Amino acid sequence: MPSFLLTLAALCQLLLAAHALRQGDWSLCAALGALALAVPARLGALRLVLAASLLLGAAHWAVAGASLVQMRLAFGEPWLRLALILAALCAASLGAGLWLLGERAGAAFHRQRGAEGTQAAAFLLTAGLLALARAKASVPVLLADRFLPGAGWLEVLVLGVYAGWLAGRMLDARQHKLLRPRIWALFSAVFFGQLALGLAGAHDLLMTGKLHLPVPALIVAGPLFRGGGLFMPILFSATVLLVGPAWCSHLCYIGAWDDRCARLGPKAPRVLPRRWTIGGRLATLLLVCGGALGLRLLNAPPELAAALAAGFGLAGVGVMVLVSRRLGAMAHCTAFCPIGLVGNLLGRLMPWRLRIDLATCTRCGACARACRYCALAAPEIEAGRPGLSCTLCGDCVGACPHDSMHYSFPGLSPSVARALFLILVSALHAVFLGVARI
Ligand code: SF4
Ligand code: SF4
């Protein structure tokens, strides 16, 4: 019986692929077909992805069938055979999709250390966000579409699989600690690599060609000076809404440099005092906001504003190279970058938190030695919660030998909260890899 239903599921998926080809969308056909052809591998995450695809397919057959029948009725053409065929397709897709969600189908697929739900959710979220960006943007946002028109669904598939793989691997806290700096550096390298190649003449690697400086402080200062251009503040706020302050540990194209510099320093980072992590960033926040408004009121030329912004960005790089490297702590992000403070403060409005289970914590300090964001001094450990500068990076979770560090979210157990956080952050990382360019 499972073999018959597996074959039915694969066939229904192939029919969806064929339908996409008939509509002229060859890359959607290839992506849907690839999911069907992967069925023999019986990967646990594929079961849930396939179920979602077939249930969406069933809805599509129902809607398309209803409108085709209405059209035929309006023109007085025969419609019964068409209605029966589409109803059968809808019923088969619906049945196969629902079966795939059940326990019996679960037994027919390989379990992947219980990670299949996390992997499938990261895949589906990534694919959904990229499909939305692709449909809504006025320019082709995916590189595949630029170099091979219409090929975007293949990039969606690849990035979705990547997000699923990543979320599954990072469920292991030690893997999260190892992988996070690597994928963050990868994102920064891809972002700046595209910018460099775009400026060198490969214009397809730029988003719109309207250049702006990649200095995080400009997320707030740019709109204040220009009196508009809210794309970056909206993007930043949306990520804070989803994953709290994790922009500054997983997503920022500059923060990855500070992480690199800090890792070149001592293994046990110095904890910067609050007057720096709060006072230092408050001062730079007031400086850049006041400076941007002042330049606007004075009608300063954009070239002058850009030169000052570049100077601020270079000063930040100086902090990374000279201070972060010496202290082993991310001095740029925790004491210099105003956006870091904005992220920390706005992040507090969101329910994501890191908590220390004081009943099992032995105060060994392993978490403090892993935290490069100056959020875990002795008083914070005693209080069972990291300081304001915590960015939910997760390094302390993988470092604690007693499993005493937990992600928390109201109403969810620590393991479910962490899985949800990893789904969101993996999907955002994959989406940023696909669409973040200047
Ligand atoms: S503190 Fe600034 S540079 Fe560092 S990660 Fe956050 S936004 Fe980026
Ligand atoms: S307290 Fe933990 S999660 Fe927060 S910044 Fe420090 S190491 Fe990262």
Side-chain angles (χ1 to χ4, degrees):
M1 190 65 172
S3 302
F4 166 74
L5 288 166
L6 272 178
T7 310
L8 178 69
L11 277 176
C12 289
Q13 182 70 11
L14 281 174
L15 284 169
L16 282 172
H19 180 59
L21 189 60
R22 197 158 176 269
Q23 302 289 313
D25 197 336
W26 65 267
S27 76
L28 181 57
C29 166
L32 294 173
L35 292 179
L37 295 178
V39 167
R42 300 195 186 193
L43 299 173
L46 177 66
R47 172 174 72 92
L48 300 171
V49 170
L50 209 53
S53 172
L54 289 175
L55 293 176
L56 282 174
H60 174 76
W61 291 128
V63 172
S67 92
L68 282 172
V69 166
Q70 272 178 356
M71 208 155 60
R72 291 212 169 177
L73 280 170
F75 287 106
E77 291 177 1
W79 55 270
L80 186 59
R81 202 164 68 121
L82 175 81
L84 287 175
I85 291 171
L86 288 170
L89 280 174
C90 178
S93 299
L94 185 64
L98 291 175
W99 174 73
L100 282 167
L101 288 178
E103 277 185 21
R104 287 198 179 170
F109 282 76
H110 302 302
R111 298 218 180 264
Q112 290 157 288
R113 306 179 319 279
E116 50 268 26
T118 305
Q119 292 174 323
F123 175 98
L124 292 170
L125 183 59
T126 305
L129 289 173
L130 288 172
L132 194 66
R134 191 169 177 255
K136 295 287 175 202
S138 53
V139 291
V141 285
L142 297 180
L143 283 186
D145 281 321
R146 295 185 176 199
F147 290 105
L148 185 58
W153 283 110
L154 292 179
E155 188 173 339
V156 172
L157 178 71
V158 169
L159 287 170
V161 170
Y162 169 66
W165 170 82
L166 187 60
R169 287 294 299 271
M170 293 204 303
L171 270 181
D172 176 341
R174 281 156 196 87
Q175 286 294 319
H176 185 191
K177 186 170 179 288
L178 278 178
L179 279 172
R180 185 187 64 85
R182 294 180 191 168
I183 59 154
W184 198 18
L186 167 76
F187 167 62
S188 185
V190 168
F191 180 88
F192 282 103
Q194 290 184 99
L195 178 59
L197 291 171
L199 291 176
H203 299 302
D204 277 344
L205 294 175
L206 301 175
M207 182 60 89
T208 59
K210 275 170 70 181
L211 296 178
H212 61 85
L213 286 170
V215 177
L218 295 189
I219 294 175
V220 287
L224 287 177
F225 173 68
R226 291 189 300 266
L230 293 176
F231 176 75
M232 280 309 290
I234 290 173
L235 179 70
F236 176 73
S237 309
T239 60
V240 173
L241 203 64
L242 287 171
V243 289
W247 166 283
C248 291
S249 54
H250 292 77
L251 301 168
C252 170
Y253 38 73
I254 290 286
W257 300 9
D258 201 26
D259 181 75
R260 284 284 122 192
C261 288
R263 282 172 200 275
L264 293 174
K267 278 219 158 61
R270 178 98 64 85
V271 181
L272 294 173
R274 273 189 191 191
R275 66 176 180 279
W276 282 107
T277 58
I278 298 179
R281 294 187 297 177
L282 193 57
T284 55
L285 182 62
L286 293 174
L287 176 75
V288 297
C289 292
L293 280 174
L295 288 170
R296 184 172 163 201
L297 291 176
L298 292 171
N299 268 331
E303 295 76 16
L304 174 63
L308 290 171
F312 185 83
L314 286 175
V317 175
V319 172
M320 293 178 200
V321 174
L322 298 176
V323 188
S324 299
R325 216 168 141 231
R326 203 156 65 83
L327 302 183
M330 295 174 65
H332 171 270
C333 295
T334 56
F336 181 82
C337 177
I339 291 299
L341 182 62
V342 175
N344 287 144
L345 292 172
L346 286 182
R348 286 285 155 143
L349 301 177
M350 297 301 118
W352 291 109
R353 294 287 184 275
L354 224 290
R355 288 285 178 258
I356 305 169
D357 179 357
L358 292 175
T360 57
C361 170
T362 62
R363 285 37 166 199
C364 70
C367 57
R369 289 190 291 278
C371 179
R372 298 189 186 275
Y373 287 92
C374 309
L376 282 175
E380 278 90 26
I381 297 178
E382 268 324 309
R385 59 192 63 192
L388 178 74
S389 54
C390 172
T391 60
L392 304 174
C393 75
D395 287 4
C396 56
V397 181
C400 175
H402 309 288
D403 284 337
S404 300
M405 311 287 305
H406 301 295
Y407 283 84
S408 86
F409 190 95
L412 300 181
S413 70
S415 60
V416 175
R418 186 158 174 277
L420 178 60
F421 177 80
L422 292 176
I423 289 167
L424 293 170
V425 91
S426 302
L428 286 175
H429 162 69
V431 169
F432 276 34
L433 259 186
V435 304
R437 65 184 71 94
I438 289 179

